[in-house]
Amino acid sequence: MSLWLGHSQGQVNNRISRGVFFAVPVLLSFLASPVCAQQSLSAAADKEIVRRQEVLLDAEKKIIQADKAAREKNYEEAYVKYLDALEKIPAGSATGARRAVVIVQFSSIGIAYANDLVKNGRYSDAERVAKTVLLPEFNPGYKPAVQFLANLEQSDYYNKTVTPQFAADRDQVVKLMVEADGYYASGRFDLASKRYEQVLNIDRYNNAARMGLEKVNKQKNTYYSAAYDETRSRMLWNVTRAWERPVHRMLNRDTVNDARGRRTAGSSTEAITAKLNRIIIPNTGKNLDDVTIRDAVEYLKQQSRMLDTTATDPKEKKGVNIVLKLASPSGTTAPGAPAVPGAPPVAAAPAVAGAPAAPDAGVIGSGATADTKVILSLKNVPLIEALRYLTEQAGLKFKVEPYAVSIVPVTENTDELLTKEFNVPPGFIPLESSATAGAAAAPTAGTATAGITTARLSNRTDAKKYLESLDVGFPQGASAQYSPGGTKLTIRNTQDNLDLISMIVDAAAEGMPKQVEIEAKFLEISQDNLKELGFNWLLGPLSIGGGMYGAGGTQGYGGSPAGSTYPFNAGSGPVGTNPVTGGLRSGYGATPDAAISANSLDALLAGVGPGALAAAPGILGISGIFTNPQFQLVIRALNQKKGVDLMSAPKVTTKPGNRAVIKVVRQFPYPTEFSPPTTPAPATGGTSSTTTPTVGFQTQSGMVSPSTPTAFQNRDVGVVLEVEPVVGTDNYTIDLSLAPQVVEFDGFINYGSPILAPAIDMTTLSITSASMTDNVVNQPIFSVRKVTTNVSIWDGQTVAMGGLIREDVQKVQDKVPILGDIPLAGRLFRSDVDQKIKRNLIIFVTARLMDAEGRPIRQEEEQEEVVEPIGLPENLPPPTFKSRGK
């Protein structure tokens, strides 16, 4: 017994020296055991020691994980890890110091976790965490926990209206704001606006989201302002370019039309095909008699270089490159040529006329190699036919590529595989039969949930099998994936098969109710440029000498000079009086003296009536008032630019086959019927002239009633668009019957005549006539620009209708004869006026297919690409490092 105790005590002391704590009850149980059970008790003690060591190691791992979570401010995980570690570390002398350190960390993290719970509205959970910290076995005297519970008892210390749902919404708002700012920084403004709007759906009074939307809108406005300037300059440039007469191009007869209708040289594939057809092999002789495919190809390459007469330039490459992509005799694959092991034999090609039969040659299968022998005897055949005979006899095929001709096995797929995603209607892949579905959906015992999922998935026929049943081919490497929940069909196949699948999808969507949304944008750019530079001279009487006198031109020619248009006036008229440049027109108006005639709606709205004249402003005047002769010079100059832009974008939705009308007009009423004028009865006596007593008129007395309108008619002035959409059989093409019409008001024409009355000249006692009223009967004049056309566009595409271009050019150059032709000084006797009014109207019509809910059938939203962080595996052990020398 003493020996066992000493041995056991030594083991215990050894364990304690390594930091392991033994409980006293365990030792007492060992002492009370019989001597025969000493060995088994020793083994049990060793196991207990190992178990306690593992518990302490597990506790240390928990502490490391808690420290990491605390650094990452994941207070909940840190709190739980520290609590688990404390439960595994016993309270004893050996582990007391370590437990005390962990308790301090646990207490600090616990209060931080409690504050975080309060922020999320979980007050009861926060109270439990604080009370757990204050438990006797942990830290009963921890002052921050006591203070936290005291603050929690106060009703006004924390905002207890914050609920867990409100806190969750707040966290979601923070996440959305971060994503919105990221989208804004990367220039994806539509997605940024979407995120800001999602924030407002959660928090309608979020100022940051509103400011974010304002920031996005400002950036969009900056972009669209630049786009507006670019579009306006392009449209004005198109107006100017319309004056260009196209130059007849001298085209080479060898050029061809490409897919867009442009005249270009043939593509590289067409060039090689043309060479294959033009190079004629005169006679193969014995060169292709029992030779390998490699030798036959080499012979044809040499013949192509020798017989190529299409290349006229010595530097131009002659002949055709022919590349073999076949397996070698040893079974390995030549570079770029995959082997076809175990391929079934292919029937031999029919014998060529004049070619001897191959003795005991047998049938060459599709597994032919470059050393397989062939026999060909050809005369006067194109190179392309020689290649066809060669490949057919060898069980191969050839493909014309942009830079060479490739000879490959028959089984090799030469078409490129493309990936495309289709939006299919629900139920595109039909359900399987109930018997098959029931058999496939039979769940395994004990896996009820898995059985239900398997049954749901098995109710759908495999997408590849379903498409193959519709005669859609799936070559090697092709695939099909179908997602019933998302109505997405992802296909990897050749272009021809993708087109066939697209037709199948469109045919399946034909039965869905649909309508057509038509959006029309009318862009009208108007630019009015006016330039004028002229000189007006007034010259008074002057003494020439010898009893001769001179003066300016005939008074009244071209209109008497108005004192208000000249800066120097003396007495009753301007200095100089008589015009030297009276015939030089200036300004705009409705008189013959106006350089620019103004007789349209714009002039009427501007107040320029019949007989009005607005001369160009004078910028400088020079006069000789007290000189002999008296003269006055006024320089009139004007440079004006006026731009008027109009854009309207109405939108209408209609059913296919129904006509829709879009109007952007202004109703213009004008009279169509007039009452006849009325005149009073004649009267005698009195004179109508008070300024000249010797002359008098005897006219009718009373009031004169001119013609007055009695009926009016409205005319739409503006843009009218009539459109009738018809959806094509492919459910993707939309046929549009368009009839845009532009109606403009040009001005009035007076169809009336003045009403005259007889009058008696009292001086001469002769009968004459006097105008009683002008009797104006104005009728409007309209200009109409109309286009009727039919176009076919794809769903969501836009058709631009131009050609409604108009430019009014008025150029006036007046000069005084002889004086205006004098070099340099003659410019003082000339007047130049140049006005260009450009108008360009372009109509953009966009048609989209919509479903019954008003959503586009084909979505065109920008794809969201939010990168989720990749987390590390749980319980990942910390990395270990070894220093050099250890």
Side-chain angles (χ1 to χ4, degrees):
M1 177 68 70
S2 61
L3 293 176
W4 179 83
L5 287 174
H7 177 71
S8 299
Q9 189 66 32
Q11 288 182 345
V12 171
N13 292 334
N14 187 23
R15 298 303 183 189
I16 291 177
S17 65
R18 287 187 290 172
V20 181
F21 178 80
F22 273 88
V24 175
V26 176
L27 293 177
L28 293 177
S29 64
F30 289 164
L31 294 174
S33 300
V35 177
C36 61
Q38 291 180 0
Q39 298 298 329
S40 61
L41 290 176
S42 177
D46 291 338
K47 291 182 180 180
E48 181 66 16
I49 292 172
V50 173
R51 186 188 68 81
R52 290 174 181 266
Q53 287 180 342
E54 292 178 350
V55 170
L56 289 176
L57 290 176
D58 188 31
E60 290 296 332
K61 291 181 179 180
K62 297 289 185 183
I63 293 172
I64 294 174
Q65 294 174 359
D67 292 341
K68 180 181 178 182
R71 290 192 299 268
E72 296 176 353
K73 296 184 179 182
N74 188 355
Y75 301 125
E76 181 178 4
E77 183 180 353
Y79 172 80
V80 174
K81 297 295 183 182
Y82 280 133
L83 187 60
D84 292 343
L86 288 175
E87 292 177 353
K88 296 178 183 296
I89 300 175
S93 60
T95 58
R98 182 58 174 163
R99 180 179 174 85
V101 173
V102 176
I103 286 176
V104 173
Q105 296 174 339
F106 168 72
S107 302
S108 176
I109 290 299
I111 297 304
Y113 179 40
N115 286 316
D116 190 60
L117 291 174
V118 167
K119 292 180 181 179
N120 294 328
R122 298 168 59 183
Y123 302 102
S124 59
D125 294 338
E127 183 180 3
R128 283 194 294 270
V129 170
K131 289 181 178 180
T132 302
V133 174
L134 294 175
L135 289 175
E137 60 268 25
F138 296 134
N139 199 349
Y142 191 57
K143 291 183 179 180
V146 176
Q147 183 64 39
F148 175 80
L149 290 175
N151 295 335
L152 196 61
E153 292 295 333
Q154 299 180 17
S155 59
D156 57 346
Y157 191 85
Y158 292 110
N159 183 10
K160 295 185 178 181
T161 61
V162 177
T163 62
Q165 180 61 39
F166 177 85
D169 292 342
R170 181 187 58 200
D171 295 339
Q172 181 67 15
V173 165
V174 173
K175 179 182 177 182
L176 292 174
M177 289 295 296
V178 171
E179 292 181 2
D181 294 339
Y183 283 131
Y184 173 80
S186 59
R188 290 176 285 183
F189 301 128
D190 292 336
L191 292 178
S193 299
K194 184 178 180 180
R195 286 293 182 268
Y196 287 129
E197 290 173 356
Q198 289 176 352
V199 171
L200 292 175
N201 286 330
I202 300 175
D203 182 9
R204 59 181 299 184
Y205 300 111
N206 192 291
N207 292 332
R210 287 293 182 185
M211 294 173 63
L213 285 174
E214 180 184 5
K215 181 171 58 175
V216 169
N217 292 333
K218 286 182 178 179
Q219 291 296 328
K220 287 184 176 181
N221 185 58
T222 302
Y223 166 75
Y224 288 120
S225 297
Y228 161 77
D229 294 336
E230 188 275 333
T231 302
R232 191 175 193 278
S233 62
R234 180 177 295 274
M235 295 180 68
L236 292 176
W237 168 70
N238 287 333
V239 174
T240 307
R241 189 184 65 171
W243 291 101
E244 178 191 12
R245 291 179 58 87
V247 179
H248 180 69
R249 298 181 180 273
M250 304 302 296
L251 301 177
N252 190 349
R253 63 179 182 179
D254 293 333
T255 58
V256 296
N257 289 323
D258 65 357
R260 298 183 180 180
R262 298 173 298 185
R263 299 285 293 183
T264 61
S267 64
S268 54
T269 303
E270 294 175 348
I272 291 182
T273 304
K275 281 188 177 183
L276 292 174
N277 285 280
R278 291 179 182 177
I279 297 175
I280 305 299
I281 306 298
N283 187 2
T284 59
K286 296 183 179 181
N287 295 305
L288 298 181
D289 188 4
D290 194 19
V291 297
T292 62
I293 297 177
R294 181 186 293 106
D295 295 337
V297 169
E298 187 64 28
Y299 170 76
L300 293 178
K301 288 167 61 176
Q302 294 177 1
Q303 291 292 313
S304 67
R305 296 190 187 99
M306 294 174 56
L307 301 174
D308 186 6
T309 59
T310 59
T312 58
D313 189 356
K315 297 182 180 180
E316 188 176 353
K317 295 182 179 179
K318 294 185 176 183
V320 178
N321 294 323
I322 305 176
V323 180
L324 278 176
K325 294 182 180 181
L326 302 177
S328 62
S330 61
T332 60
T333 304
V340 190
V346 180
V352 182
D360 300 329
V363 179
I364 301 176
S366 60
T369 65
D371 294 331
T372 302
K373 294 187 177 182
V374 294
I375 299 175
L376 282 179
S377 178
L378 303 174
K379 291 183 179 181
N380 297 326
V381 295
L383 179 57
I384 190 171
E385 293 296 325
L387 287 174
R388 184 173 66 84
Y389 290 137
L390 175 64
T391 53
E392 285 181 356
Q393 186 178 146
L396 305 171
K397 64 180 180 180
F398 71 93
K399 179 183 178 182
V400 180
E401 297 177 348
Y403 300 100
V405 178
S406 299
I407 297 179
V408 296
V410 176
T411 57
E412 180 177 344
N413 180 28
T414 57
D415 294 330
E416 182 182 1
L417 296 181
L418 305 175
T419 302
K420 185 176 181 180
E421 187 178 82
F422 297 90
N423 291 327
V424 296
F428 175 74
I429 303 297
L431 296 174
E432 288 187 348
S433 61
S434 58
T436 306
T444 308
T447 57
T449 305
I452 293 173
T453 305
T454 305
R456 291 177 178 175
L457 295 177
S458 300
N459 284 338
R460 298 284 181 176
T461 306
D462 183 76
K464 182 177 179 181
K465 294 181 180 179
Y466 173 69
L467 294 174
E468 285 178 343
S469 65
L470 299 178
D471 297 332
V472 177
F474 280 84
Q476 184 179 2
S479 62
Q481 295 181 358
Y482 174 62
S483 174
T487 64
K488 299 290 185 181
L489 178 64
T490 305
I491 303 294
R492 179 172 176 80
N493 212 321
T494 62
Q495 184 61 49
D496 294 338
N497 290 330
L498 289 177
D499 295 339
L500 179 58
I501 295 173
S502 179
M503 295 175 61
I504 295 173
V505 172
D506 292 340
E510 286 184 359
M512 299 175 59
K514 52 185 172 293
Q515 48 196 358
V516 182
E517 179 190 74
I518 300 172
E519 181 181 6
K521 293 182 180 179
F522 300 91
L523 300 179
E524 184 174 10
I525 304 298
S526 177
Q527 182 72 34
D528 186 353
N529 296 339
L530 176 62
K531 295 181 180 180
E532 178 178 348
L533 178 60
F535 300 86
N536 285 348
W537 286 85
L538 295 179
L539 186 62
L542 68 146
S543 175
I544 300 177
M548 299 179 63
Y549 296 89
T554 302
Q555 179 70 19
Y557 177 76
S560 299
S564 59
T565 59
Y566 291 90
F568 300 100
N569 290 273
S572 60
V575 174
T577 307
N578 299 325
V580 178
T581 57
L584 274 58
R585 292 164 291 179
S586 175
Y588 69 96
T591 66
D593 293 335
I596 303 300
S597 60
N599 56 356
S600 62
L601 177 60
D602 296 334
L604 294 176
L605 294 178
V608 182
L613 172 62
I619 63 173
L620 180 63
I622 300 175
S623 176
I625 300 178
F626 302 105
T627 62
N628 187 16
Q630 292 184 352
F631 71 93
Q632 186 172 177
L633 168 65
V634 178
I635 303 175
R636 304 192 183 278
L638 181 62
N639 193 343
Q640 285 183 338
K641 289 185 178 181
K642 179 182 178 182
V644 179
D645 303 336
L646 172 64
M647 186 188 77
S648 58
K651 184 184 297 185
V652 66
T653 302
T654 183
K655 297 177 64 176
N658 292 348
R659 186 173 65 95
V661 180
I662 299 176
K663 291 185 178 182
V664 184
V665 298
R666 178 174 56 182
Q667 286 192 346
F668 183 81
Y670 61 94
T672 56
E673 297 181 3
F674 296 83
S675 62
T678 58
T679 58
T684 58
T687 61
S688 61
S689 176
T690 59
T691 57
T692 306
T694 57
V695 180
F697 295 95
Q698 183 179 3
T699 61
Q700 295 175 327
S701 63
M703 298 297 296
V704 178
S705 299
S707 299
T708 56
T710 58
F712 290 85
Q713 182 177 349
N714 290 332
R715 180 69 181 268
D716 292 336
V717 178
V719 179
V720 179
L721 175 64
E722 296 183 5
V723 57
E724 181 177 351
V726 177
V727 180
T729 56
D730 58 357
N731 203 35
Y732 187 68
T733 305
I734 304 175
D735 296 333
L736 297 176
S737 297
L738 300 172
Q741 177 177 313
V742 180
V743 180
E744 293 181 344
F745 171 71
D746 287 339
F748 290 100
I749 293 181
N750 182 15
Y751 291 95
S753 57
I755 299 177
L756 303 178
I760 301 175
D761 188 346
M762 301 302 296
T763 303
T764 60
L765 298 179
S766 61
I767 300 176
T768 181
S769 62
S771 175
M772 302 182 66
T773 179
D774 292 337
N775 192 32
V776 177
V777 179
N778 284 331
Q779 287 295 292
I781 301 299
F782 300 94
S783 63
V784 180
R785 291 178 287 173
K786 184 175 181 180
V787 177
T788 302
T789 183
N790 296 319
V791 296
S792 296
I793 62 175
W794 289 337
D795 179 20
Q797 300 300 310
T798 301
V799 57
M801 303 176 60
L804 302 177
I805 295 176
R806 177 180 175 183
E807 182 174 11
D808 297 335
V809 179
Q810 295 189 40
K811 291 186 177 182
V812 176
Q813 187 183 62
D814 295 338
K815 64 181 178 180
V816 178
I818 302 176
L819 296 178
D821 296 329
I822 299 175
L824 299 180
R827 186 63 186 85
L828 299 177
F829 299 93
R830 292 200 303 265
S831 176
D832 294 332
V833 183
D834 186 0
Q835 184 188 44
K836 294 181 180 180
I837 301 177
K838 301 179 181 181
R839 291 185 178 92
N840 191 352
L841 175 63
I842 295 182
I843 304 173
F844 298 95
V845 180
T846 305
R848 299 183 182 90
L849 291 177
M850 314 290 289
D851 57 14
E853 297 183 9
R855 299 178 302 179
I857 294 179
R858 292 173 177 84
Q859 299 290 339
E860 296 182 356
E861 294 184 358
E862 184 178 359
Q863 298 294 328
E864 301 183 10
E865 298 178 358
V866 179
V867 180
E868 298 292 341
I870 301 176
L872 295 176
E874 295 183 359
N875 301 324
L876 183 67
T880 58
F881 300 93
K882 293 183 179 180
S883 61
R884 296 180 180 177
K886 291 186 179 181

